[in-house]
Amino acid sequence: MANIDTIDLNLLRLFDAVYRTRNVSRAAEELGLSQPATSQALTRLRLLLRDPLFERVAGGVRPTARSERLAHSVQAGLALLEAGLNEGERFDPATTEAELRLHLSDIGEGRFLPPLMTTFREIAPNLRITARAWTHEAISEALDNGQLHFALGFLPTVGGTAHAEMLSDRYQIFVRADHPVTRQAVDGALSAEAIAKLDFVAVRSHAQTQRMLEMLHLDPRIRLVVSSFMALPPIIRATDLAVLMPRQIGLHLEPIGAFALLEPALPQRDFSVALHWSRRHAQNAMLRWAREVILELFRNRQRVDPGG
C-alpha cells in the first residue's frame, strides 16, 4: 500500500494533468516538462500505487477504474492546497471586475441569464458574464483548464465533473393552441398513436430531443430542422408542426395562451438540469461564491415555477 510519505506532490500534479488532458504529451507541455521526464514520473507513480492508472487509446490515454477514484481525491486535495496558499487573497463581489465564463445552450441562455443578470447586477455590478455553447465532449476539459467556469444544463454525457442538481423538468409536446391533436388529448395527455401521426420540427442545438424522436422511430416525421428554440413560436403558430421541448421553456413562451403543452407517452421524459464545475478549481474564492449564488437562485426558483 502506498504511503503519503512516499508520494511527491509533483507526482500528484502530474497525475492530475494527465487525467484532465487524457494525453501525456499535453500534460508535459502544461507542466513545462519534457515528454521523457513526464513518462518516467508517471512510471514512478504507477509503481508506487501498483496500478497502471492510464491505458493507451487512440489519440491519448484512458483512466483506469482506480485512476477515476483517485482523481476525485487528488483534485479536491490540490484545490484545498491552492486555497490555503491563496488564503490572503480576498474576493469582494461588490468591487470585482472579473469575468465569469458559462456554458449555456441557446435555450439555457433564455432560461437562466435574465434572473442571473438581475441578481449579479445587484450584488456584483461590475462582474462580466460570457456565455457560449460548448460541445458536450469539450466541457469537462474546458472546466479543468479554466477556459470555462461553469456548465449549466442537461448534460448526461459530461463526466469527470463535480455537479449539483438545480431543478427538474420534463419534455412535453408543444403545438399551437387550436391544433387538431389537442382534441385527442385526454386531460392533457397524448397517446403514442396520436403522437405517431404528428409532424415535427426538431432543434439542432438540443440533440436529446432528436434522440428521443429516433428512439420512438419518429425521425421520419421530422419535417423541419432549425438551429434554435428561439425560432419556434412563429413557426408553430403558423403550422401544424409539433415540437418536443422542456416544459419550463414552453410555459414562458409568448404570447401566453397561443400554444398548448401536451403530456406525451414517452420514455425518459423526465430529466434534471445541473450545474457542473471542476473539482480542480472548486476552492477558488470567486468561483465558490458564484456557485453558491447560482445554486441558491435556481434551487429556490424551482419551488415557485408553475408546473415544475
Side-chain angles (χ1 to χ4, degrees):
M1 180 180 293
N3 188 299
I4 189 65
D5 294 333
T6 66
I7 301 292
D8 182 341
L9 177 61
N10 288 320
L11 293 181
L12 298 182
R13 292 181 63 240
L14 169 68
F15 169 82
D16 175 55
V18 176
Y19 179 82
R20 287 186 288 103
T21 62
R22 301 295 202 267
N23 188 287
V24 175
S25 296
R26 286 163 62 190
E29 182 179 350
E30 179 179 308
L31 296 172
L33 300 172
S34 67
Q35 185 161 345
T38 303
S39 297
Q40 290 170 15
L42 188 56
T43 298
R44 284 176 56 201
L45 188 60
R46 284 167 164 157
L47 291 173
L48 284 168
L49 298 180
R50 300 177 184 177
D51 189 273
L53 297 178
F54 300 97
E55 303 165 349
R56 291 189 180 278
V57 294
V61 294
R62 176 178 57 203
T64 63
R66 171 76 187 283
S67 185
E68 289 284 5
R69 295 192 299 272
L70 180 62
H72 293 181
S73 298
V74 168
Q75 290 181 332
L78 290 174
L80 281 171
L81 180 57
E82 287 187 359
L85 293 172
N86 296 322
E87 189 175 17
E89 295 183 8
R90 296 181 177 275
F91 174 74
D92 182 0
T95 60
T96 185
E97 296 182 357
E99 179 186 36
L100 187 65
R101 297 183 287 276
L102 308 176
H103 158 81
L104 285 167
S105 66
D106 63 321
I107 198 170
E109 289 183 352
R111 182 174 194 173
F112 295 115
L113 286 181
L116 267 178
M117 292 307 298
T118 299
T119 299
F120 282 137
R121 286 293 293 172
E122 293 175 355
I123 60 179
N126 297 317
L127 182 72
R128 293 178 293 118
I129 311 293
T130 300
R132 57 165 284 198
W134 290 71
T135 63
H136 290 193
E137 296 77 14
I139 286 175
S140 182
E141 182 176 348
L143 288 169
D144 281 335
N145 66 27
Q147 291 178 278
L148 183 62
H149 293 139
F150 297 107
L152 294 79
F154 175 48
L155 305 168
T157 61
V158 173
T161 65
H163 58 275
E165 182 178 328
M166 294 195 299
L167 49 90
S168 299
D169 205 342
R170 63 171 41 195
Y171 289 107
Q172 292 191 315
I173 288 180
F174 169 58
V175 295
R176 59 185 174 86
D178 57 350
H179 193 292
V181 77
T182 59
R183 295 193 291 272
Q184 301 175 39
V186 179
D187 295 327
L190 207 56
S191 69
E193 292 77 12
I195 294 170
K197 296 176 183 177
L198 288 170
D199 290 327
F200 287 89
V201 52
V203 181
R204 191 178 298 109
S205 64
H206 203 77
Q208 181 64 15
T209 55
Q210 292 197 55
R211 282 194 290 268
M212 292 177 71
L213 292 174
E214 290 167 3
M215 286 170 52
L216 296 166
H217 308 292
L218 293 175
D219 42 314
R221 305 293 302 187
I222 296 175
R223 303 293 181 235
L224 173 66
V225 178
V226 297
S227 60
S228 165
F229 276 101
M230 300 302 107
L232 290 176
I235 294 171
I236 298 302
R237 290 179 66 194
T239 70
D240 280 343
L241 292 173
V243 65
L244 190 64
M245 67 185 302
R247 171 183 173 83
Q248 292 299 321
I249 299 300
L251 286 173
H252 296 96
L253 288 175
E254 297 182 349
I256 301 298
F259 309 103
L261 283 170
L262 305 175
E263 189 74 40
L266 297 175
Q268 301 178 12
R269 65 179 181 267
D270 297 310
F271 64 95
S272 296
V273 176
L275 178 71
H276 293 251
W277 66 92
S278 170
R279 294 183 185 87
R280 185 70 183 80
H281 306 292
Q283 299 303 319
N284 175 280
M286 189 269 280
L287 299 184
R288 190 169 64 243
W289 166 81
R291 183 169 69 244
E292 291 171 357
V293 170
I294 294 169
L295 290 176
E296 179 68 18
L297 177 62
F298 292 109
R299 280 175 168 168
N300 288 343
R301 201 173 183 81
Q302 181 177 329
R303 302 190 187 106
V304 299
D305 271 347

